Amino acid sequence: MVWSFCFEGPVASALCNRFSYRWVVVAGGIVLAVSMVMSAFSSNLYVLFVSYGVIGGIGKTLAYGPGVVIVGMYFSRRRGIAVGLGTSGVALGAFAVPTLVEFSFSEYGYFGAFIIMTGIALQLVVCGFLLRPLSLHKQITEYDRRKLQILKWNDDNKSLVCLAKSQEHAKTLPTDTVHRPSKIIVKDSNRFANASLKVDEKNKETKQNGKFCDFSLLRNNRFSSLCAAVVLFNVSYQSSMIFLPALSVKLGIDEFESFPVVVVGICDGLGRIISGFLFDRKCIKPIRCYIYNAALFCLGVTTMFIPLVRNTTQFGIVCAILGLFLGNGVSQQSVVIVDILGEENLSCGFGILILFQGIGTFIGPPLSGLLKDINGSYDYAFYLGVVCAILGAAIFMGANIVHYKLEKNMYSIESKDAFNCHKL
């Protein structure tokens, strides 16, 4: 499934450009449901690898990527909180769905559990149909904007007509001057009224060329450094999460093995919502990339304290802080992409980012498991997460520093040119 999730990200973006986000999500739900049915009838492990791993991974990618991207395109002013709320369900499912699946296997057996998961997967089809097509969303937004313009022009027209009537007996003003503004405004108002009733022809066709994902976006230094940071971020994330339950049992901190997963999952959801609110503040918007960069650093520092905990309270606090920073790191990726590449490149950019995200997810567990087997301790897996998180943050910070200096130099040049023009 990780392999499919890794390489299908750009394909999902290309399909969204060729067709629509709604139909790609619907197709993803259907493919995932088919994979669950095939898994229910699988006779051996090799068939399960194909049905659940490959086909299920394709369905998951087709449903996840477009769902996140289209939420980012629906909103411009409140994109951060919209994406944060939209992706907070992932955190809820992280600890709710495994419990449900475990209960299904124990109560209904192998076949019954996969049939139940088939029903869950089919809910993605319903969610896909509820997505408003991007072309229709743009038309409605444009219609509302023009409607407000019409109301504004009509109000101005009424005020000028009243002014003209009040001055029609004034001797100092000629008659043609009094009535001329009214005619002009009425004419302009009719022009906007006619325009508002017509659908913008450009919005009728929002589909792009259907070409494969534009990998030339990687020429952007900040975006390529973000991709490298995401690879290392996911190595750190997987190295930490995969051994948290085992570490909890080994230390005898809590008999409830999934305790750290539940704490991280809850705080992950809170982190997504809180970071969304913060990223939409006017004072934060210009520096969102730098705040995201700082959160990656904090993630590495928090991971460093995991091997040092000795009781339940310490373990719960560290897991809670880790969840908050994980929520920010995952949920605000599309917002950072828009700040770097622009909204028009969000679909392709997010598809490429999923590719690198899958690479990190693929590397993390085997590498951390190898370190545990060699050294006989879970601590080295967490230290790997520390190194990867801080290294990824440092790479992204380097690109941000270069970008900041270029912006500063450009601003100083423009200020000098403006001063010289004013002087002349």
Side-chain angles (χ1 to χ4, degrees), residues 25 29 96 103 112 115 145 149 176 183 224 285 348 366-367 385 398 424:
V25 172
F103 173 79
I115 295 301
R145 185 183 67 83
Q149 286 182 332
D176 57 343
K183 293 179 181 180
S224 59
K285 279 187 177 182
C348 284
L367 187 58
L424 293 174

Side-chain angles (χ1 to χ4, degrees), residues 10 13 50 98 108 121 135 156 173 177-178 210 217 226 252 256 295 304 322 347 404:
S13 297
V50 176
Y108 302 102
S135 58
D156 293 341
L173 292 177
T177 306
V178 172
L217 296 175
L226 175 64
F256 184 31
M304 183 172 59
L322 182 69
S347 180
Y404 175 77

Side-chain angles (χ1 to χ4, degrees), residues 177-231:
T177 306
V178 172
H179 293 284
R180 191 175 301 156
S182 174
K183 293 179 181 180
I184 293 174
I185 298 300
V186 170
K187 182 178 180 181
D188 288 339
S189 177
N190 291 334
R191 176 171 61 84
F192 276 98
N194 293 332
S196 67
L197 297 176
K198 295 179 181 179
V199 177
D200 191 354
E201 294 298 330
K202 293 182 180 180
N203 286 338
K204 284 185 177 181
E205 187 64 42
T206 59
K207 300 172 186 175
Q208 301 179 14
N209 297 330
K211 62 180 182 180
F212 198 71
C213 219
D214 188 8
F215 283 94
S216 64
L217 296 175
L218 291 171
R219 296 176 183 174
N220 185 303
N221 293 331
R222 293 179 85 194
F223 181 64
S224 59
S225 66
L226 175 64
C227 292
V230 165
V231 172

Side-chain angles (χ1 to χ4, degrees), residues 281-311:
R281 301 300 95 192
K282 288 184 179 180
C283 57
I284 299 294
K285 279 187 177 182
I287 57 172
R288 285 192 290 208
C289 290
Y290 307 108
I291 300 296
Y292 184 85
N293 201 163
L296 295 182
F297 270 115
C298 293
L299 175 67
V301 174
T302 304
T303 307
M304 183 172 59
F305 287 96
I306 295 178
L308 305 178
V309 298
R310 291 296 179 265
N311 56 60

Side-chain angles (χ1 to χ4, degrees), residues 244 247-256 259-260 306 308-316:
L244 278 178
L247 181 64
S248 176
V249 173
K250 179 185 176 182
L251 298 176
I253 291 176
D254 202 296
E255 295 180 357
F256 184 31
F259 165 74
I306 295 178
L308 305 178
V309 298
R310 291 296 179 265
N311 56 60
T312 305
T313 303
Q314 294 176 356
F315 201 50

